[in-house]
Amino acid sequence: MDNGLHLKAVEIYRDGQPLLQIDAQVGPGEILTVMGPSGSGKSTLLSFLTGHLAPAFTATGQVVLDGYDVTSQPPEHRKIGILFQDDLLFPHLSVGANLAFGLRGGTKSERQKTIETALSDVGLQGFETRDPATLSGGQKARGALMRVLLSDPKALLLDEAFSGLDTDRRAQIRDLTFDHARKKHLPVVMVTHDIDDANAAGGQVIQLGA
Amino acid sequence: MTDRAVRRPASTARSFWGALPLLTLIIMIGPVLAGLFGTVLPAFGYLPAAGLGAFSIAPFTDLFAWNGIWAATRLSVTTGFAATFLSLAIVTLLMAGWSGTRALRWLETLLSPLLSVPHAATAFGIAFLIAPSGWIARMISPWLTGWDRPPDVLITQDPLGIALTLGLVTKEVPFLLLMALAAKGQSASTQRMRVAQSLGYGRVSGWLKSVFPVIYAQIHLPVLVVLAYSMSVVDVAMILGPTTPPPLSVQVVKWMSDPDLSKRLIASAAALWQLALVIAALGVWWIGERITARLGLAWVERGARNLRLDKTARPLGITLGTVSALSVLLGLLCLGVWSFAGFWGYPDALPQSLTPKNWARHWPDISDSLITTLLIAALSVAVAVTLVIACLEAEHRTGRSLSQKGLWLIYAPLLIPQIAFLPGVQTALLITGATSGFWPVSLMHVVFVLPYVFLSLTDPWRNWDPRIDTIARSLGTSPTRVLFTLRLPMLLRPILTAAAVGFAVSVGQYLPTLLAGGGRVATLTTEAVALSSGGDRRAIGAFGVAQTLAVIAPFAIATLLPYWMWRNRKGLHG
């Protein structure tokens, strides 16, 4: 069985000009770090993986997840979760409703229980009815992490996910994210410009040219 | 997991969304084109409904044989250019002299609610202020003027159309100023001004040379709308314009409402003549823009700092801006006072008593037309907001955004004078045997509400963080669910604001209501304008106040409802 995330001969073009090419295999629980200067197409690569490539870009190659080619699937069918630099908790929903938004299936009480457990897992017990805007930066990041994990993704993408946090929170949230991803055997693609992130991930590093 | 292997056919969904902008365009442009067609045929003598089937140019020869034609033509041209030039000049002086100051912010707060007040109510207010028997004359009489009865001078409805021009200016200044302020955000004006001033330029000259060209490029279309509108306006002209002869557009309406159907031939010819005048004027304005750009560039290249310009331009700008704002506000206040006035003899500054009797007397009429007004507005706004949201969502899903040409189409119903195609709409309704009324009026309102809703909602819609969509989709949410559970609720405030703008546009429509309704649909605006010839100030005051409240209330709701709904969600209160 071909588990994990496989980027098969992926090439991305901007307005017809080659932007980047990448060929990589990320096994379950492994972290692939993609580094490069701004403009090298790091974030474009992640847009391609989630299925949100902007019209100016075209791409060839395949994205194979757990043996299935998801290249032409719409984003909502890919089961590829993503975290950005900003938490992007939906501002009109409570913290609990944000988690429920991603959660699949279950009866009402099961869902409540799952959300309660997920929140207390990351030190946010009792935060269900809170307004996301009243949370600290670290609390928001943990909320966002739990939201994506509850949606039961088969792969996780990190787009400069820790850049917005101050130095001491940063390592803590990073470790928490990596721990959860490994525990769930998720292949992870992390885009970053920070070598500390790459070192902490300890996996393969791909450098994109400008 | 098997569903993953299936390639979903997305093409049918995509063509559905791709077709929506086209549908919207047809709804918006269709009636305009049909109306123009319905104007052209009778203008050349073809009107089967009146038993006239022979093509000829007789309507035009009749039109140019009418002895008022040149006076009417001159009025249209002079008031159009004067009102547009003055409004633009005041806005430019205000922005150049006062950008970033507390004075301008204060004026902006004062002017933004005025933008939504119907033209008719503003015009009545101005008339109540400046007429020989108006509030200003009363306040300075008899101690200053010695008048104990109204002087016999024609201040409103003057033959040169000065009152009409001033009435238009007070209404267009808020419009252009708010458009310019919106454009300012994308012009890096603060940085440009810092550079200009560090090079030793004065505030006004620095702004004119470094910021104005960028801002003007953004408000170019709205300025053209003001020109086309000012040349061909009907309701304001009926209230403030001269009567013998009236401006061309008013004369068209007179001919259109003549029981003698053959008068529609000359009305249609005059409508086309009005259209030709507007097109020519837009062309002249366009040439003027080029010449101004050339002269401006030469002025920039000379490098003069023009520091002394500030001394005259700044006081002039703030004075004109304040006078313009105050005249609208005082005018509305005057409407309110008249609506409650008991006996009010000349030259008393205030009525002897205030009484609710006027309201009680006119309430049956007001409430009937209020209900019609609200129904038409609610229906046309609902349709327009739905179509605009559908178009913007289509743009999001197909990744194809509106081009510059597309923007011209959005502005088309605002640039083509209403008087040029609405007679055709009425004639078409007559020919098809449709009984004019509520539904045609509502459809015509959609045509004029749509552009404003679109212009109001586009920026907030496009500024919505696309990463919210990425996140939600990657959580397994369908695009439709993203729209309904995330984007629409998060954009509740701008959507309601756009709806309130549309509501105000609909409430203020005079000509579409009159002509598409065949004179049988009575809204607050048509009733108020119909009262203008009678001169019953108490009735006009009550209708004017009702009109104003009908547009202010939706804005209040658009502000308070999101505030209340999201009272526990700080992230949505910017």
Side-chain angles (χ1 to χ4, degrees), chain B residues 379-407:
Chain B
L379 183 67
S380 57
V381 166
V383 172
V385 168
T386 309
L387 284 172
V388 167
I389 289 178
C391 282
L392 290 169
E393 179 69 7
E395 173 184 286
H396 167 66
R397 293 197 189 187
T398 58
R400 276 197 307 251
S401 65
L402 187 80
S403 64
Q404 196 59 34
K405 271 188 213 137
L407 200 62

Short mmCIF file of all heavy atoms in Angstrom, two decimals, chain B residues 379-407:
data_model
loop_
_atom_site.label_atom_id
_atom_site.label_comp_id
_atom_site.label_asym_id
_atom_site.label_seq_id
_atom_site.Cartn_x
_atom_site.Cartn_y
_atom_site.Cartn_z
N LEU B 379 -38.60 44.69 -2.88
CA LEU B 379 -38.52 43.71 -3.96
C LEU B 379 -37.31 43.96 -4.85
O LEU B 379 -36.53 43.04 -5.15
CB LEU B 379 -39.82 43.78 -4.79
CG LEU B 379 -39.92 42.75 -5.91
CD1 LEU B 379 -40.04 41.35 -5.32
CD2 LEU B 379 -41.13 43.04 -6.80
N SER B 380 -37.12 45.22 -5.28
CA SER B 380 -36.02 45.47 -6.21
C SER B 380 -34.67 45.28 -5.52
O SER B 380 -33.72 44.78 -6.14
CB SER B 380 -36.15 46.88 -6.82
OG SER B 380 -36.19 47.85 -5.83
N VAL B 381 -34.59 45.64 -4.25
CA VAL B 381 -33.33 45.45 -3.53
C VAL B 381 -33.04 43.95 -3.35
O VAL B 381 -31.90 43.50 -3.52
CB VAL B 381 -33.35 46.18 -2.16
CG1 VAL B 381 -32.22 45.71 -1.28
CG2 VAL B 381 -33.27 47.68 -2.38
N ALA B 382 -34.08 43.18 -3.02
CA ALA B 382 -33.87 41.74 -2.84
C ALA B 382 -33.33 41.13 -4.13
O ALA B 382 -32.37 40.34 -4.12
CB ALA B 382 -35.18 41.07 -2.42
N VAL B 383 -33.95 41.49 -5.26
CA VAL B 383 -33.50 40.95 -6.54
C VAL B 383 -32.07 41.41 -6.84
O VAL B 383 -31.20 40.61 -7.20
CB VAL B 383 -34.45 41.39 -7.69
CG1 VAL B 383 -33.88 41.00 -9.04
CG2 VAL B 383 -35.82 40.77 -7.50
N ALA B 384 -31.82 42.70 -6.65
CA ALA B 384 -30.50 43.24 -6.98
C ALA B 384 -29.41 42.64 -6.10
O ALA B 384 -28.36 42.22 -6.60
CB ALA B 384 -30.51 44.76 -6.84
N VAL B 385 -29.66 42.55 -4.80
CA VAL B 385 -28.64 42.01 -3.90
C VAL B 385 -28.36 40.54 -4.23
O VAL B 385 -27.21 40.11 -4.28
CB VAL B 385 -29.06 42.18 -2.42
CG1 VAL B 385 -28.17 41.38 -1.49
CG2 VAL B 385 -29.05 43.65 -2.03
N THR B 386 -29.43 39.78 -4.52
CA THR B 386 -29.24 38.38 -4.87
C THR B 386 -28.40 38.26 -6.14
O THR B 386 -27.45 37.45 -6.19
CB THR B 386 -30.61 37.70 -5.10
OG1 THR B 386 -31.43 37.97 -3.98
CG2 THR B 386 -30.45 36.21 -5.28
N LEU B 387 -28.72 39.05 -7.15
CA LEU B 387 -27.97 38.97 -8.41
C LEU B 387 -26.52 39.39 -8.22
O LEU B 387 -25.60 38.76 -8.76
CB LEU B 387 -28.63 39.85 -9.48
CG LEU B 387 -29.91 39.28 -10.10
CD1 LEU B 387 -30.58 40.33 -10.98
CD2 LEU B 387 -29.62 38.02 -10.89
N VAL B 388 -26.31 40.44 -7.45
CA VAL B 388 -24.93 40.93 -7.26
C VAL B 388 -24.12 39.87 -6.50
O VAL B 388 -22.98 39.56 -6.87
CB VAL B 388 -24.93 42.27 -6.51
CG1 VAL B 388 -23.53 42.62 -6.03
CG2 VAL B 388 -25.44 43.38 -7.43
N ILE B 389 -24.71 39.30 -5.45
CA ILE B 389 -23.99 38.27 -4.71
C ILE B 389 -23.71 37.07 -5.61
O ILE B 389 -22.60 36.51 -5.60
CB ILE B 389 -24.78 37.85 -3.45
CG1 ILE B 389 -24.73 38.99 -2.43
CG2 ILE B 389 -24.22 36.56 -2.84
CD1 ILE B 389 -25.51 38.73 -1.16
N ALA B 390 -24.70 36.70 -6.43
CA ALA B 390 -24.49 35.59 -7.35
C ALA B 390 -23.34 35.89 -8.31
O ALA B 390 -22.51 35.02 -8.60
CB ALA B 390 -25.78 35.30 -8.12
N CYS B 391 -23.29 37.12 -8.82
CA CYS B 391 -22.20 37.50 -9.74
C CYS B 391 -20.85 37.46 -9.05
O CYS B 391 -19.87 36.98 -9.62
CB CYS B 391 -22.43 38.91 -10.28
SG CYS B 391 -23.64 38.97 -11.57
N LEU B 392 -20.80 37.99 -7.84
CA LEU B 392 -19.52 38.03 -7.14
C LEU B 392 -19.07 36.61 -6.78
O LEU B 392 -17.88 36.29 -6.83
CB LEU B 392 -19.63 38.90 -5.88
CG LEU B 392 -19.79 40.40 -6.17
CD1 LEU B 392 -20.17 41.16 -4.91
CD2 LEU B 392 -18.50 40.96 -6.76
N GLU B 393 -20.04 35.77 -6.40
CA GLU B 393 -19.71 34.39 -6.10
C GLU B 393 -19.24 33.67 -7.36
O GLU B 393 -18.31 32.86 -7.33
CB GLU B 393 -20.93 33.68 -5.48
CG GLU B 393 -20.71 32.21 -5.13
CD GLU B 393 -19.74 31.99 -3.97
OE1 GLU B 393 -19.33 32.97 -3.33
OE2 GLU B 393 -19.39 30.82 -3.72
N ALA B 394 -19.88 34.00 -8.49
CA ALA B 394 -19.46 33.41 -9.77
C ALA B 394 -18.04 33.82 -10.09
O ALA B 394 -17.23 33.01 -10.56
CB ALA B 394 -20.41 33.85 -10.88
N GLU B 395 -17.73 35.09 -9.83
CA GLU B 395 -16.38 35.58 -10.07
C GLU B 395 -15.38 34.80 -9.22
O GLU B 395 -14.32 34.39 -9.69
CB GLU B 395 -16.34 37.07 -9.71
CG GLU B 395 -14.98 37.69 -9.73
CD GLU B 395 -15.03 39.14 -9.25
OE1 GLU B 395 -15.52 39.97 -10.03
OE2 GLU B 395 -14.62 39.42 -8.12
N HIS B 396 -15.77 34.55 -7.96
CA HIS B 396 -14.91 33.80 -7.04
C HIS B 396 -14.71 32.36 -7.53
O HIS B 396 -13.62 31.82 -7.49
CB HIS B 396 -15.55 33.84 -5.66
CG HIS B 396 -14.99 32.88 -4.68
ND1 HIS B 396 -13.70 32.98 -4.21
CD2 HIS B 396 -15.52 31.80 -4.07
CE1 HIS B 396 -13.47 32.00 -3.35
NE2 HIS B 396 -14.55 31.28 -3.26
N ARG B 397 -15.80 31.75 -8.02
CA ARG B 397 -15.70 30.33 -8.39
C ARG B 397 -15.04 30.11 -9.74
O ARG B 397 -14.36 29.10 -9.93
CB ARG B 397 -17.10 29.70 -8.41
CG ARG B 397 -17.69 29.65 -7.03
CD ARG B 397 -18.85 28.69 -6.96
NE ARG B 397 -19.50 28.83 -5.65
CZ ARG B 397 -20.46 28.05 -5.23
NH1 ARG B 397 -20.90 27.07 -5.99
NH2 ARG B 397 -21.00 28.23 -4.05
N THR B 398 -15.26 31.02 -10.68
CA THR B 398 -14.69 30.80 -12.00
C THR B 398 -13.32 31.47 -12.12
O THR B 398 -12.60 31.21 -13.07
CB THR B 398 -15.60 31.37 -13.11
OG1 THR B 398 -15.77 32.77 -12.87
CG2 THR B 398 -16.94 30.70 -13.13
N GLY B 399 -12.99 32.34 -11.17
CA GLY B 399 -11.69 33.01 -11.20
C GLY B 399 -11.61 34.08 -12.26
O GLY B 399 -10.55 34.63 -12.53
N ARG B 400 -12.76 34.38 -12.90
CA ARG B 400 -12.74 35.45 -13.92
C ARG B 400 -13.34 36.70 -13.31
O ARG B 400 -14.49 36.70 -12.90
CB ARG B 400 -13.60 35.04 -15.12
CG ARG B 400 -12.86 34.18 -16.11
CD ARG B 400 -13.62 34.17 -17.42
NE ARG B 400 -15.01 33.79 -17.19
CZ ARG B 400 -15.53 32.63 -17.58
NH1 ARG B 400 -14.78 31.76 -18.20
NH2 ARG B 400 -16.78 32.35 -17.36
N SER B 401 -12.57 37.77 -13.23
CA SER B 401 -13.12 38.96 -12.60
C SER B 401 -13.51 39.98 -13.67
O SER B 401 -13.14 39.87 -14.83
CB SER B 401 -12.13 39.56 -11.60
OG SER B 401 -11.00 40.00 -12.29
N LEU B 402 -14.28 40.95 -13.20
CA LEU B 402 -14.86 41.95 -14.09
C LEU B 402 -13.77 42.82 -14.71
O LEU B 402 -12.89 43.32 -14.04
CB LEU B 402 -15.80 42.81 -13.27
CG LEU B 402 -16.65 43.81 -14.02
CD1 LEU B 402 -17.84 43.12 -14.62
CD2 LEU B 402 -17.09 44.90 -13.08
N SER B 403 -13.84 43.02 -16.00
CA SER B 403 -12.84 43.83 -16.68
C SER B 403 -13.25 45.31 -16.63
O SER B 403 -14.32 45.66 -16.16
CB SER B 403 -12.73 43.40 -18.14
OG SER B 403 -13.95 43.66 -18.78
N GLN B 404 -12.37 46.17 -17.12
CA GLN B 404 -12.68 47.59 -17.18
C GLN B 404 -13.91 47.83 -18.06
O GLN B 404 -14.76 48.66 -17.76
CB GLN B 404 -11.46 48.34 -17.72
CG GLN B 404 -11.50 49.84 -17.48
CD GLN B 404 -11.59 50.20 -16.00
OE1 GLN B 404 -11.04 49.50 -15.16
NE2 GLN B 404 -12.30 51.26 -15.68
N LYS B 405 -14.00 47.04 -19.15
CA LYS B 405 -15.16 47.16 -20.04
C LYS B 405 -16.43 46.79 -19.30
O LYS B 405 -17.47 47.42 -19.46
CB LYS B 405 -14.99 46.24 -21.25
CG LYS B 405 -14.27 46.89 -22.41
CD LYS B 405 -14.33 45.98 -23.64
CE LYS B 405 -13.08 46.12 -24.46
NZ LYS B 405 -12.55 44.85 -24.94
N GLY B 406 -16.33 45.75 -18.47
CA GLY B 406 -17.48 45.32 -17.69
C GLY B 406 -17.97 46.42 -16.78
O GLY B 406 -19.17 46.62 -16.59
N LEU B 407 -17.01 47.19 -16.24
CA LEU B 407 -17.36 48.29 -15.34
C LEU B 407 -18.18 49.34 -16.08
O LEU B 407 -19.13 49.92 -15.55
CB LEU B 407 -16.09 48.90 -14.76
CG LEU B 407 -16.27 49.72 -13.49
CD1 LEU B 407 -16.81 48.87 -12.36
CD2 LEU B 407 -14.95 50.34 -13.07
#
